[in-house]
């Protein structure tokens, strides 16, 4: 009969020194050239971006609207006696890199432009179970809209909808550009009476720009920690 122990093939297993294990750990945790360069650049970039920040904290209220932040989502909410007005927008991809930065002639660095965040936004006016909804966007440049050429709006109505209950894809919506021009002007006046005027739209741009910049700095800080900690 065969003896399993006697017939077993003996393998010599080389001993691994502690120094070899330690060296392996060091090599595994060592930063690559690209990582080192990235960490160094991010350190300088974060300092520069924080220095350029206009607001360190985002306001909790804007012209009577309560400001709520949820990651990239921003909601402005105001309640009156029988209705609620909700304005919502997302800051992602709202900074137009193709447009020329706006120059502030009053700034000490007049040659340095500021990029603006101009998000599309929705306005929902809710009364009970009914909602009148608007989708709006900022014009590429202030210009006349609607029937009255004297208007110089910085934003326009892209879409109008009216529904009961929860919104769904089944709800009918009409494009602002195809409705009667006078009706369009009346709806713009209606929004202005609700507080959504050109002046308020400018404040939305300012809020979105500051919050987008804050989110960008946070992303840089997260990227720096991710690449520096291995």
């Amino acid at each position: 009969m065969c003896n399993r122990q006697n017939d077993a093939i003996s393998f010599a297993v080389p001993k691994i020194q502690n120094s070899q294990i330690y060296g392996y750990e060091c090599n595994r945790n060592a930063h690559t050239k690209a990582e080192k360069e990235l960490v160094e650049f991010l350190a300088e970039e974060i300092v520069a971006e924080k220095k350029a920040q206009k607001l360190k904290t985002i306001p909790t209220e804007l012209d009577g609207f309560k400001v709520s932040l949820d990651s990239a989502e921003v909601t402005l909410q105001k309640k009156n006696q029988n209705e609620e007005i909700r304005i919502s927008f997302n800051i992602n991809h709202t900074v137009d890199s193709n447009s020329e930065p706006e120059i502030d002639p009053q700034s000490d660095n007049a040659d340095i432009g500021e990029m603006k965040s101009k998000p599309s936004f929705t306005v929902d006016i809710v009364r009970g179970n009914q909602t009148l909804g608007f989708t709006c966007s900022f014009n590429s440049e202030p210009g006349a809209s609607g029937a009255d050429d004297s208007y110089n709006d910085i934003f326009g109505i892209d879409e109008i909808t009216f529904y009961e209950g929860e919104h769904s894809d089944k709800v009918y919506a009409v494009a602002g550009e195809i409705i009667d021009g006078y009706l369009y002007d009346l709806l713009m006046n209606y929004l202005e009476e609700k507080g959504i005027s050109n002046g308020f739209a400018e404040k939305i741009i300012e809020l979105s720009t500051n919050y987008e910049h804050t989110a960008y700095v946070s992303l840089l800080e997260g990227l720096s920690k991710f690449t520096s900690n291995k």
Side-chain angles (χ1 to χ4, degrees):
M1 294 180 63
C2 295
N3 189 313
R4 292 176 61 89
Q5 291 183 344
N6 292 337
D7 292 345
I9 300 175
S10 176
F11 292 95
V13 179
K15 293 183 178 180
I16 301 177
Q17 300 297 327
N18 290 337
S19 60
Q20 290 177 288
I21 297 176
Y22 179 76
Y24 169 75
E25 291 292 334
C26 289
N27 290 333
R28 188 182 67 174
N29 293 332
H31 289 87
T32 65
K33 181 176 181 293
E35 287 174 332
K36 289 180 180 178
E37 292 177 346
L38 183 57
V39 170
E40 291 173 358
F41 173 81
L42 286 172
E44 297 178 358
E45 185 72 1
I46 290 170
V47 171
E49 290 294 340
K50 284 187 174 181
K51 186 177 180 181
Q53 277 184 298
K54 289 187 174 182
L55 290 179
K56 303 301 180 183
T57 57
I58 304 302
T60 58
E61 186 174 323
L62 185 68
D63 285 6
F65 285 86
K66 179 183 177 182
V67 179
S68 300
L69 308 174
D70 183 11
S71 297
E73 296 284 342
V74 181
T75 303
L76 310 179
Q77 189 175 13
K78 180 169 66 174
K79 292 183 178 180
N80 295 323
Q81 291 182 347
N82 64 337
E83 69 180 18
E84 177 183 351
I85 303 175
R86 290 194 303 265
I87 303 171
S88 305
F89 60 88
N90 187 299
I91 62 172
N92 288 340
H93 312 297
T94 57
V95 178
D96 189 357
S97 59
N98 295 323
S99 62
E100 289 293 328
E102 297 185 12
I103 306 298
D104 182 4
Q106 304 299 325
S107 173
D108 294 335
N109 299 319
D111 58 327
I112 300 177
E114 180 186 5
M115 302 182 75
K116 297 285 189 177
S117 169
K118 298 181 179 181
S120 296
F121 59 94
T122 60
V123 180
D124 291 327
I125 302 173
V126 184
R127 291 181 183 173
N129 195 39
Q130 296 181 323
T131 301
L132 174 60
F134 300 87
T135 301
C136 304
S137 63
F138 289 96
N139 300 325
S140 56
E141 59 183 24
S145 60
D148 191 339
D149 291 339
S150 65
Y151 287 176
N152 199 32
D153 301 313
I154 67 170
F155 74 96
I157 299 173
D158 298 331
E159 187 178 271
I160 308 153
T161 186
F162 178 78
Y163 57 93
E164 294 187 358
E166 296 295 326
H167 183 270
S168 70
D169 292 337
K170 296 180 181 180
V171 174
Y172 173 75
V174 62
E177 62 183 4
I178 69 171
I179 66 173
D180 180 82
Y182 185 59
L183 173 59
Y184 181 97
D185 292 341
L186 291 175
L187 290 172
M188 288 292 290
N189 291 341
Y190 179 76
L191 286 176
E192 184 174 9
E193 285 187 350
K194 297 299 180 181
I196 300 93
S197 60
N198 276 341
F200 184 77
E202 289 279 9
K203 294 180 180 180
I204 289 180
I205 293 176
E206 183 179 2
L207 172 65
S208 183
T209 299
N210 290 327
Y211 185 47
E212 194 279 337
H213 194 189
T214 299
Y216 177 62
V217 172
S218 296
L219 184 146
L220 293 180
E221 291 176 331
L223 180 57
S224 177
K225 291 178 181 178
F226 182 82
T227 52
S228 60
N229 296 332
K230 293 188 66 176

